[in-house]
Amino acid sequence: MDRDRDRDGDGRVGLSDLPDDILACILARLGYTHAAARTSALSRSWRYVWTCCLFLRHYQANDSSPVRFAAHAASASTNIHVLTVKSIYCATGKKRVRAALLTLSLGFLGLSLPPSGVFAALRELRLEHVQFQGECTLDDAMLPFLEWLEIRMSRSG
Amino acid sequence: MAAATDDAGDSNEMIRVVSSDGEHFEMPEAAANLSLVLRHMIEDDCADAAGIPLAVVAAKPLAKIVDYCTKHAAKSSGLTIEEAEELKRFDAEFIEVDTDMLYDLLVAADFMGVEGLSKLAVQRTADLIKGKTPEQNRETFGIVNDFTPEEEEEICKENEWAFQITKPPSRLC
């Protein structure tokens, strides 16, 4: 095997030197987001690899941190094409998200859209099982590049 | 893949490949067809007596890949339950390798486009990572911790949720 692949410059070739797409496949086989996210602590070259394969299946009552972290991770990495968040508790995007597609499946919780600029690059927004309280306004400043909005199985109340 | 195997049923031609370090290997055409790269080379009539050069695959991993493809090509269609079980056992034993070889197989299978082997190696690597602390994983895979203590603390704080939970409730996953 050719040994010019030492990406992390530690003098030897190993797992850290694999291309990110192979590493992302490996992390996706870990089965849980938190297991993938734990690899962020391995070394600098691993810090954001897990954000290439967001598969949020982490649920804990009254804890939106995975969702917030996903939004943070999405803003830190431009590798993500699809960010799918399924949370039965809550989801708020507080950071700027560069993902082009966001799917929120919210178990009939209310959704308040974040202020302008947070979803600056969002092209597709899919909302499922959302409870809309009162009027929900989507304006151009909030979602300047939105091309596709899908709302399924949602309620107003 | 099925079509390739059928073709191979009619042809017993052996395909030669050459590793990056100059070693020659032979495998049946059906086995070579399990590699996307080799299949395209064969289709383009690039498979000659000199052998197809594989510039980034060394002899050691190539020998394993030839083994894998030969076994799987011979058993790829109309498997009985026993044969499928035997192939599973073969895979399990095949992938019991050290982390250096695992790395070589991941790279080579990806380069050669051997899908089944890529999946096998990826799954094996994931299984090795699973359920271990970052420190244990560093040790297993020879990863050097290049964070400052401050950075490490920051990451652990940032991803606190990931380090606290060992397993989410199964009914929700």
Side-chain angles (χ1 to χ4, degrees), chain B residues 71-167:
Chain B
K71 181 80 178 177
H72 277 257
K75 300 259 179 200
S76 66
S77 58
L79 287 184
T80 64
I81 295 170
E82 288 78 24
E83 283 171 333
E85 283 297 316
E86 199 226 316
L87 207 53
K88 245 184 168 174
R89 275 198 301 276
F90 169 84
D91 280 357
E93 273 173 39
F94 176 89
I95 207 66
E96 280 282 332
V97 293
D98 62 25
T99 52
D100 284 346
M101 176 56 89
L102 194 55
Y103 167 84
D104 285 349
L105 288 176
L106 283 163
V107 174
D110 185 59
F111 171 78
M112 291 174 67
V114 186
E115 201 191 338
L117 180 56
S118 279
K119 279 187 184 165
L120 184 65
V122 159
Q123 186 62 57
R124 167 72 178 164
T125 315
D127 291 344
L128 287 175
I129 294 175
K130 263 181 207 169
K132 290 198 183 119
T133 63
E135 194 43 60
Q136 288 168 326
N137 274 321
R138 280 189 208 114
E139 204 174 306
T140 307
F141 296 105
I143 298 166
V144 176
N145 181 2
D146 53 2
F147 289 125
T148 63
E150 292 77 29
E151 280 174 327
E152 209 171 344
E153 199 183 324
E154 187 194 316
I155 290 165
C156 289
K157 220 179 253 175
E158 197 175 60
N159 302 0
E160 207 178 357
W161 58 273
F163 292 96
Q164 280 171 345
I165 302 135
T166 51
K167 207 173 183 186

Side-chain angles (χ1 to χ4, degrees), chain A residues 18-28 49, chain B residues 106-108 110-111 122:
Chain A
L18 286 170
D20 280 353
D21 57 335
I22 301 183
L23 286 180
C25 286
I26 293 168
L27 298 193
V49 177
Chain B
L106 283 163
V107 174
D110 185 59
F111 171 78
V122 159

Side-chain angles (χ1 to χ4, degrees), chain A residues 1-3 5 8 10 12-19 21-22 25-27 29-35 37-48 50 56-60 63 65-66 69-70 72 88-89, chain B residues 20 55-58 61 99-100 103-104 106-108 110 122-123 125-127 129-132 134 137-138 141-148 151-152 154-156 158-159 161-163 165-169 171-173:
Chain A
M1 182 71 47
D2 118 36
R3 296 278 156 184
R5 297 202 176 94
D8 57 356
D10 65 351
R12 53 166 285 171
V13 178
L15 206 58
S16 307
D17 304 303
L18 286 170
D21 57 335
I22 301 183
C25 286
I26 293 168
L27 298 193
R29 302 299 303 173
L30 292 177
Y32 300 106
T33 306
H34 71 276
R38 277 206 288 255
T39 62
S40 62
L42 289 175
S43 74
R44 285 191 180 148
S45 59
W46 283 84
R47 185 159 180 181
Y48 296 110
W50 76 276
L56 286 190
R57 299 192 298 176
H58 167 92
Y59 301 91
Q60 201 180 17
D63 180 13
S65 54
F69 192 74
H72 171 71
I88 55 167
Y89 295 106
Chain B
S20 60
V56 301
V57 188
T99 52
D100 284 346
Y103 167 84
D104 285 349
L106 283 163
V107 174
D110 185 59
V122 159
Q123 186 62 57
T125 315
D127 291 344
I129 294 175
K130 263 181 207 169
K132 290 198 183 119
N137 274 321
R138 280 189 208 114
F141 296 105
I143 298 166
V144 176
N145 181 2
D146 53 2
F147 289 125
T148 63
E151 280 174 327
E152 209 171 344
E154 187 194 316
I155 290 165
C156 289
E158 197 175 60
N159 302 0
W161 58 273
F163 292 96
I165 302 135
T166 51
K167 207 173 183 186
R171 68 190 172 84
L172 294 170
C173 293

Side-chain angles (χ1 to χ4, degrees), chain A residues 50-109:
Chain A
W50 76 276
T51 64
C52 298
C53 58
L54 288 188
F55 51 109
L56 286 190
R57 299 192 298 176
H58 167 92
Y59 301 91
Q60 201 180 17
N62 305 319
D63 180 13
S64 64
S65 54
V67 179
R68 278 191 282 112
F69 192 74
H72 171 71
S75 69
S77 165
T78 50
N79 295 336
I80 297 176
H81 302 297
V82 177
L83 167 62
T84 300
V85 179
K86 283 177 189 275
S87 169
I88 55 167
Y89 295 106
C90 61
T92 48
K94 287 192 179 154
K95 301 273 174 125
R96 185 177 292 267
V97 172
R98 291 210 188 94
L101 162 67
L102 182 62
T103 304
L104 295 174
S105 180
L106 297 175
F108 294 111
L109 279 160

Side-chain angles (χ1 to χ4, degrees), chain B residues 32-46:
Chain B
N33 276 330
L34 293 182
S35 153
L36 214 60
V37 167
L38 294 182
R39 195 164 83 205
H40 288 158
M41 300 282 277
I42 294 164
E43 282 166 4
D44 293 345
D45 285 327
C46 297

